[in-house]
Amino acid sequence: AVIAVALKDIPADVLSQIKVATIGDSSALKPGDQVVAIGNALGYGQSVTTGIISAVNRKITMESADGSSVVTNSFIQTDAAINPGNSGGALLNIKGEVIGINSNKIGGTAVEGMGYAIPIDTAAPIIKSLMNKEIFDTINNL
C-alpha cells in the first residue's frame, strides 16, 4: 500500500524522525545472504526478525479462493520469521536496503515454517505506479 499524507499534516517532531528507505537489488540476492524482516507480527506492534535467504526465484503456485484461477509467482524464500501481521513489511538486506516485501508463510507438520517475500525488483514498478496516481478527495465527492 502507498499512503499519501500532506507534509503540513505531519508534526515537525514526527517529520524529523522519518527516514526514506533505500531500495536494494533483489536480483543480486543469493542463498546464505543475511536478511531482516520487519512487520507487525500478530498485531503486537513493530517486530523484527533475522534470518538468511534460503532460495531465490522460488516458484509458488496459489489457487484463488473460489478455485477459478491458479497463479505462479516467484518469491524470495527466507527462514526469517514472517508471521501473520508481517505481510507488507520490509525484507531488508544486511545493508538495510529494502530487497523484498514480506508476503506469506507456509507452516505445518512437514516444515517449521518458510517465509516468502515479493522481490523488490518485482514490486518497485507497482509501487512507482501507485505513487504517481492522482489523489482524489472522495469525501467531497459523496
Side-chain angles (χ1 to χ4, degrees):
V2 174
I3 301 171
V5 179
L7 288 176
K8 67 178 180 58
D9 294 336
I10 303 173
D13 61 325
V14 173
L15 192 57
S16 69
Q17 297 297 311
I18 295 173
K19 305 290 185 251
V20 176
T22 301
I23 302 298
D25 179 5
S26 56
S27 69
L29 296 173
K30 57 189 180 311
D33 286 350
Q34 293 180 316
V35 292
V36 175
I38 298 175
N40 181 14
L42 305 177
Y44 292 150
Q46 185 175 355
S47 64
V48 178
T49 60
T50 63
I52 61 166
I53 298 294
S54 308
V56 293
N57 300 318
R58 177 68 74 202
K59 303 287 188 228
I60 304 292
T61 301
M62 294 175 267
E63 189 173 301
S64 65
D66 64 3
S68 64
S69 62
V70 175
V71 178
T72 301
N73 291 308
S74 181
F75 289 93
I76 300 165
Q77 180 182 317
T78 179
D79 68 350
I82 297 177
N83 294 300
N86 285 81
S87 296
L91 185 68
L92 309 171
N93 63 19
I94 200 68
K95 298 179 201 172
E97 299 167 331
V98 179
I99 47 101
I101 306 296
N102 299 331
S103 179
N104 56 1
K105 170 185 175 174
I106 295 178
T109 58
V111 294
E112 178 62 29
M114 292 184 285
Y116 296 93
I118 301 164
I120 198 63
D121 294 353
T122 301
I126 298 164
I127 295 168
K128 185 175 182 179
S129 172
L130 290 171
M131 289 175 59
N132 290 325
K133 288 193 179 286
E134 286 289 320
I135 300 170
F136 296 100
D137 185 357
T138 56
I139 294 172
N140 291 332
N141 293 325
L142 294 176

